Amino acid sequence: METMRPIPRAGIPADTAQAALWLASDESSFVTGHELVVDRGVTLGRKWCGGVAMRQSMMAALEISDND
């Protein structure tokens, strides 16, 4: 799973807090209808892109089955 992370460090609560503060600030006043993903790029990683095989690979790394 570690190789799936473009930003090679663990997230901390301050990472999410900074995103929330930005959304609550005037700096984001022109942002509407957007889902801000704060996941250190995991959803953009190479191994997360692709079809069924990639999804199964991701789920296996997370120890999730299609039946869960």
Side-chain angles (χ1 to χ4, degrees):
M1 180 109 170
E2 190 61 35
T3 61
M4 295 178 170
R5 299 177 181 155
I7 299 175
R9 69 169 180 85
I12 58 174
D15 295 323
T16 304
Q18 289 297 320
L21 287 172
W22 178 76
L23 283 171
S25 74
D26 288 339
E27 292 178 1
S28 68
S29 64
F30 208 68
V31 175
T32 60
H34 177 73
E35 181 178 323
L36 182 61
V37 180
V38 182
D39 69 354
R40 68 181 168 161
V42 170
T43 55
L44 297 176
R46 285 177 289 154
K47 294 184 180 182
W48 290 71
C49 300
V52 174
M54 288 296 144
R55 180 176 184 275
Q56 290 172 341
S57 174
M58 174 191 73
M59 291 174 69
L62 296 172
E63 298 179 359
I64 300 171
S65 74
D66 283 325
N67 299 324
D68 286 347

